[in-house]
Amino acid sequence: RNVKRKYSEDYIKFGFTCQEKEGVDLPQCVICFKVLGNDSMKLANLKLHLEKYHPNLLQKDEDYFERRLSGLKWQHLNSTSAFYNKTSNAVRASYIVAYKVAQAKKPHTVVDQLVLPCAKEMVRLVLGEEAARKLNDISVSNTVLRRIYEISQNISEQVVDEIKKSPLFAIQLDESTNVAFCSQLLVLVEGDFKEEFLFCKTLDTTTSSKVMEIVNNFFEVHGLDWVNLVGITTDGAPAMLGSTSGFQTLLKQHAPMVTRVHCLTSKTLPDQLNAIFKGLVKVVNHIKSLALNTRLFKRFCLDMGSNIDVLLFYTSVWWLSAGNVLNRVFQLRE
């Protein structure tokens, strides 16, 4: 017969408290908040969990785990044992901070290391110590990354819902290479709503079949109907426009009525402008290749009374930077 084990106060020495569910005691870790089964209610099993998942805490005394338990009592768990703060405003604040960090493209560790400490100091000086203590309810340690992921998932779900509500929609695809020379497939969508970013996936190969596989998988996972797809826009790459095995040709098998459009924006400069641009890039690279050249150029610009004294690098990975380079040099004429 199954014997239901009971919780002992001694288990806190290994970082475990008790959560009761349907009359059964379940051990819960006060560090990672994981709830184990009743059959794990043994000192050996609890110690094994501590050694495996929290080896850096093996030397901590009982008082340390008691403090963690006290903090846990101010919180509550939902049915999936996920960790949430009782104060809804504090939870909302943590999501807003995570959103701002992602929007600014800053490392998520900046919240714990800089944002929250600065916020506490400002609140303490302006509103007092009691108000500053309330900021301790905002969970940021090890949660910002999860918040960013949850926000991303929520935005993606909203876009998919908009697509499903729209009777017709069109997509735009482009294969790009980032600064790490990693190929990525970017897809945008537009329907009875403003143009939205749909997804970005890494490409192992840039073949049309691989692109089709990624797009098809996304449609299947999110339950999107190919029948409602009426437009597709791609660039002039052979993998996209091939008459026999190009992506647009493969797409016709799923959406026969789709209208194919070639992107009018060309990444290739006219021959005359391209020759000028190549010479210009050589000049820019020569000036910025040495610190001495850069300082002399800056002094030259100051002597000429120019408001601009810095040139911009061109990178072939980001082809739109060509316009920035040309525009900066053109501004120097004035």
Side-chain angles (χ1 to χ4, degrees):
R1 63 190 180 89
N2 294 329
V3 178
K4 301 302 180 183
R5 302 180 183 275
K6 293 295 183 180
Y7 176 78
S8 172
E9 295 295 333
D10 293 335
Y11 295 164
I12 191 63
K13 296 178 182 178
F14 299 102
F16 276 85
T17 183
C18 178
Q19 184 184 97
E20 185 175 342
K21 185 176 182 181
E22 298 179 357
V24 179
D25 290 347
L26 302 176
Q28 180 191 8
C29 179
V30 299
I31 306 300
C32 62
F33 316 114
K34 185 175 182 179
V35 179
L36 307 181
N38 180 262
D39 56 345
S40 297
M41 194 80 78
K42 300 178 183 178
L43 282 176
N45 292 341
L46 303 183
K47 185 178 180 181
L48 180 63
H49 175 90
L50 186 64
E51 292 174 345
K52 183 177 181 180
Y53 296 101
H54 315 292
N56 57 315
L57 303 179
L58 287 173
Q59 304 303 321
K60 296 293 184 180
D61 56 16
E62 186 174 341
D63 291 338
Y64 172 81
F65 295 112
E66 288 284 359
R67 290 194 299 271
R68 296 301 297 260
L69 176 60
S70 298
L72 180 61
K73 290 179 178 178
W74 287 92
Q75 314 293 331
H76 73 276
L77 296 168
N78 67 357
S79 58
T80 60
S81 299
F83 188 64
Y84 290 94
N85 198 295
K86 282 185 177 180
T87 309
S88 59
N89 288 336
V91 175
R92 184 180 179 185
S94 68
Y95 274 102
I96 292 175
V97 171
Y99 178 76
K100 294 295 184 181
V101 169
Q103 199 173 40
K105 300 178 182 179
K106 299 296 182 181
H108 59 87
T109 53
V110 73
V111 179
D112 207 9
Q113 297 174 357
L114 181 63
V115 175
L116 191 58
C118 289
K120 288 180 180 179
E121 288 299 323
M122 289 187 289
V123 172
R124 182 179 293 108
L125 293 173
V126 177
L127 301 176
E129 187 67 33
E130 183 178 353
R133 280 197 295 268
K134 292 182 179 180
L135 295 184
N136 293 328
D137 294 336
I138 301 176
S139 178
V140 294
S141 298
N142 303 320
T143 61
V144 175
L145 185 61
R146 187 173 73 246
R147 298 283 194 237
I148 293 174
Y149 175 77
E150 291 172 354
I151 292 171
S152 174
Q153 289 294 105
N154 181 263
I155 293 174
S156 178
E157 291 172 1
Q158 291 184 49
V159 174
V160 170
D161 288 341
E162 289 289 342
I163 296 174
K164 292 180 178 179
K165 293 176 183 177
S166 178
L168 303 171
F169 66 92
I171 58 175
Q172 303 175 39
L173 295 91
D174 187 29
E175 182 271 325
S176 181
T177 306
N178 61 17
V179 293
F181 296 101
C182 177
S183 295
Q184 297 173 323
L185 176 66
L186 295 90
V187 180
L188 289 84
V189 63
E190 186 173 3
D192 286 349
F193 49 89
K194 66 177 183 179
E195 184 178 87
E196 295 283 0
F197 178 79
L198 188 56
F199 68 84
C200 175
K201 300 288 186 181
T202 301
L203 288 172
D204 298 328
T205 60
T206 56
T207 60
S208 58
S209 58
K210 184 62 178 180
V211 174
M212 187 67 227
E213 178 186 344
I214 291 176
V215 176
N216 187 49
N217 287 343
F218 186 89
F219 271 55
E220 289 182 353
V221 170
H222 294 87
L224 299 179
D225 196 343
W226 286 104
V227 176
N228 297 332
L229 179 63
V230 295
I232 171 71
T233 303
T234 63
D235 60 11
M240 294 295 182
L241 295 180
S243 58
T244 56
S245 60
F247 172 75
Q248 291 191 0
T249 303
L250 296 176
L251 186 65
K252 276 284 188 179
Q253 300 174 8
H254 296 271
M257 303 304 295
V258 69
T259 300
R260 299 177 291 183
V261 179
H262 175 233
C263 180
L264 298 178
T265 303
S266 177
K267 298 180 184 179
T268 304
L269 296 174
D271 293 339
Q272 186 176 2
L273 182 58
N274 190 44
I276 297 173
F277 179 70
K278 286 183 177 179
L280 181 61
V281 170
K282 290 181 179 179
V283 173
V284 172
N285 290 343
H286 176 73
I287 294 174
K288 297 184 73 69
S289 61
L290 296 174
L292 176 61
N293 293 348
T294 302
R295 291 196 299 269
L296 291 175
F297 178 78
K298 185 174 183 178
R299 171 57 61 182
F300 174 75
C301 292
L302 292 175
D303 292 342
M304 296 294 293
S306 175
N307 295 326
I308 298 174
D309 55 13
V310 177
L311 294 174
L312 301 178
F313 267 128
Y314 166 70
T315 170
S316 58
V317 172
W318 185 36
W319 65 275
L320 288 175
S321 64
N324 295 334
V325 174
L326 291 170
N327 186 53
R328 176 56 59 88
V329 175
F330 186 80
Q331 289 174 344
L332 287 172
R333 294 181 56 191
E334 303 174 357

